[in-house]
Amino acid sequence: MPGAQSVAGTDSGKRYIWGAPGRRAWPPAHRGDGRAATSGVSAGLRPPARLRSAAVPPPSRSLPDPYGRDVLAAPRRRRTVPEVPATGDVVVEDAATGFCGLVVVCTSSAVTLEDRAGRRRVFPLEPARFLLDGEPVTLVRPAPAAPAVRRSASGSRHVAGLRARTARAARVWVEGVHDAALVERVWGHDLRVEGIVVEPIDGLDNLAAAVAGFAPGPGRRLGVLADHLVPGSKETRIADAVTARFGGEHLLVAGHPFVDVWQAVTPAAVGIRAWPDVPRGTDWKTGVCAALGMPDTRTMWGRVNGAVRDYRDLATPLVTAMETLIDFVTG
């Protein structure tokens, strides 16, 4: 090799030549055919033992771990303590003192517990402070309850801040002023929301002429609330005749089976066991007053009207009929 100095030496009786710095050249070996081999290793020559031990590290004799991986070396999960709202049905134990009681008061920073003997103690709301069924928990102040939905007397959602709405052309007719008063008492809010006007008429005897004058049509529907709408009654015959004449697309007659709207108020609301039976041919209101010992119909009407607070004080047939009419005229 150009520029390299060669130094001869021996090792284990074999001759070798030092070549370039950091490299060692082996004497050329001869194959059986007299040609020189390209490598001393391929010719069956091995480097000296002291050189082999320095160049090749000894094989590892370490044995596998018979117990597998070290489970203690794995990261441990942090235990999560559940949060429990401190409501009035929760019984917990204070872990520090052993005091056990029912939650009676809870503020933003403390909770008051009452035990079975009526003794009360106040504890701070600290993480994992209490035990519930033997397990640590963190009591938290309950979330404020959602405001209750305000309902109208008819049971529908009350519309707060209701502003007057221009009345629709549609109408609901009832047979008299008492009917109109009860409808207003229960459905007044709903009718104002929808812009529906309720008008009393003097019975059903002149219903056909009144409907002709109103001329129901598109955007101008008419609903009629009738008393004593039972098979074979005069009111039923009138309702059928008017419906047949004007059709049912823009006109609807619905009602209840009671002789008078008073009877549609539940007896329990009025404070009587039942509405009395009135002999046929006797004015119904007059007969009721006589049977109940009331001096006159005006006094009895005040009692009936004042007994109605909401739809639950009315019989189901009247409620159903009125709801049907409101849906019809607003549809």
Side-chain angles (χ1 to χ4, degrees):
M1 180 179 296
Q5 296 180 355
S6 299
V7 180
T10 60
D11 186 3
S12 302
K14 295 183 177 61
R15 184 172 179 271
Y16 62 88
I17 301 174
W18 289 105
R23 299 183 62 185
R24 185 175 182 180
W26 295 96
H30 293 276
R31 298 164 57 96
D33 55 3
R35 292 178 296 173
T38 59
S39 170
V41 176
S42 61
L45 299 178
R46 301 182 64 191
R50 68 174 184 273
L51 297 179
R52 291 201 310 270
S53 62
V56 181
S60 174
R61 297 182 179 275
S62 60
L63 297 176
D65 184 359
Y67 300 102
R69 66 181 181 86
D70 185 2
V71 295
L72 298 179
R76 301 180 64 181
R77 291 186 178 180
R78 190 172 183 178
R79 185 176 183 181
T80 302
V81 178
E83 293 185 347
V84 176
T87 56
D89 57 349
V90 174
V91 177
V92 293
E93 176 186 348
D94 177 56
T97 64
F99 186 87
C100 182
L102 177 71
V103 173
V104 291
V105 178
C106 184
T107 65
S108 59
S109 59
V111 62
T112 302
L113 303 182
E114 180 180 296
D115 66 7
R116 64 178 61 187
R119 294 171 297 190
R120 294 190 176 189
R121 292 187 60 180
V122 180
F123 300 95
L125 290 178
E126 298 175 346
R129 169 94 193 200
F130 303 94
L131 299 177
L132 179 63
D133 296 331
E135 297 295 330
V137 296
T138 298
L139 289 185
V140 295
R141 191 176 188 180
V149 177
R150 187 179 176 186
R151 299 289 179 180
S152 68
S154 69
S156 64
R157 183 184 293 269
H158 186 275
V159 180
L162 176 64
R163 300 180 61 182
R165 173 179 175 175
T166 303
R168 299 175 187 243
R171 292 290 186 271
V172 172
W173 288 351
V174 295
E175 286 201 49
V177 293
H178 291 179
D179 304 68
L182 289 179
V183 167
E184 165 61 27
R185 197 172 187 87
V186 176
W187 289 277
H189 179 77
D190 306 60
L191 294 169
R192 283 185 287 276
V193 170
E194 299 294 344
I196 300 298
V197 176
V198 175
E199 297 176 343
I201 58 176
D202 189 15
L204 298 184
D205 292 339
N206 299 316
L207 181 61
V211 172
F214 182 82
R220 188 177 172 82
R221 288 186 167 186
L222 176 62
V224 181
L225 180 66
D227 298 337
H228 201 216
L229 207 60
V230 295
S233 68
K234 179 188 73 172
E235 292 81 3
T236 299
R237 291 193 298 270
I238 293 174
D240 291 343
V242 170
T243 302
R245 176 179 173 182
F246 296 97
E249 184 177 0
H250 306 296
L251 170 68
L252 176 64
V253 180
H256 54 79
F258 308 110
V259 175
D260 191 275
V261 75
W262 286 13
Q263 200 176 10
V265 180
T266 61
V270 181
I272 58 178
R273 295 184 60 183
W275 287 103
D277 293 328
V278 178
R280 192 178 183 87
T282 303
D283 177 73
W284 191 85
K285 286 186 173 72
T286 302
V288 166
C289 291
L292 296 178
M294 301 299 292
D296 50 49
T297 57
R298 181 177 180 179
T299 303
M300 186 62 196
W301 163 241
R303 179 175 174 178
V304 172
N305 188 38
V308 177
R309 298 163 298 177
D310 55 40
Y311 73 98
R312 290 169 292 189
D313 295 322
L314 300 178
T316 300
L318 173 59
V319 174
T320 302
M322 194 61 207
E323 294 286 348
T324 301
L325 290 174
I326 293 176
D327 290 343
F328 176 76
V329 297
T330 58

